[in-house]
């Protein structure tokens, strides 16, 4: 089964209250010098092969459903077996 | 400025209601054969260099604050300049 990963992040010019809260909490816990932005990660298991058409379809899905493109940007990429192994 | 990415995903054996909702919505919109699990992505800007010590500190931060390790697993990795370029 092939896997595609869609990362959705708040655009740089958009305030990110969740990220701000996490940044503050880390500082209070003694983790200094870290600035956090928080987004979403979607792992999509694709039936069959990941063709360019299939990726285009997933980009469309991300654009309609997964990201609010007014305030968020997204990236779509196929995750290779090596990536999956590295993420164990 | 160096960047570290922390990906937090629900563990495989844990139900993922958000992912289930997205999977259902995609199907209703006509995107077939896609199964989604939803997690979180944290982009952390690190002051100074990303040393092994710094990474260990971030792993500890992820373990205490970013992930609920009862139900979620996380990965920590440095994002190279090439990764950042690919994500434009």
């Amino acid at each position: 089964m092939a896997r595609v990963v869609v990362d959705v992040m708040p655009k740089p010019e958009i305030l990110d209250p969740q990220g701000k809260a996490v940044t503050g909490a880390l500082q209070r816990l003694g983790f200094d010098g870290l600035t956090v932005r928080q987004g979403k990660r979607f792992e999509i298991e694709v039936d069959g092969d990941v063709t360019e058409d299939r990726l285009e379809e997933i980009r469309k899905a991300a654009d309609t459903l997964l990201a609010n493109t007014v305030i968020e940007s997204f990236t779509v990429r196929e995750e290779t077996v090596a990536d999956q192994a590295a993420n164990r």
Side-chain angles (χ1 to χ4, degrees), chain A residues 28-46:
Chain A
R28 283 192 298 280
L29 288 171
F31 299 102
D32 288 322
L34 305 175
T35 310
V36 181
R37 288 183 76 79
Q38 180 172 349
K40 287 174 281 186
R41 174 185 168 94
F42 297 91
E43 291 184 355
I44 306 180
E45 303 288 339
V46 179

Side-chain angles (χ1 to χ4, degrees), chain A residues 28-82:
Chain A
R28 283 192 298 280
L29 288 171
F31 299 102
D32 288 322
L34 305 175
T35 310
V36 181
R37 288 183 76 79
Q38 180 172 349
K40 287 174 281 186
R41 174 185 168 94
F42 297 91
E43 291 184 355
I44 306 180
E45 303 288 339
V46 179
D47 289 354
D49 288 339
V50 177
T51 57
E52 191 43 52
D53 279 4
R54 209 80 168 106
L55 276 178
E56 196 44 55
E57 196 192 342
I58 292 174
R59 270 186 214 108
K60 218 167 135 187
D63 197 57
T64 17
L65 189 78
L66 305 181
N68 175 355
T69 51
V70 177
I71 58 168
E72 295 169 327
S73 60
F74 66 89
T75 61
V76 175
R77 65 172 189 283
E78 188 176 354
E79 199 177 59
T80 61
V81 177

Side-chain angles (χ1 to χ4, degrees), chain A residues 3-20:
Chain A
R3 179 186 285 172
V4 173
V5 173
V6 178
D7 288 322
V8 177
M9 295 300 296
K11 289 185 179 174
E13 65 272 23
I14 299 286
L15 265 182
D16 169 23
Q18 285 183 303
K20 273 229 154 57

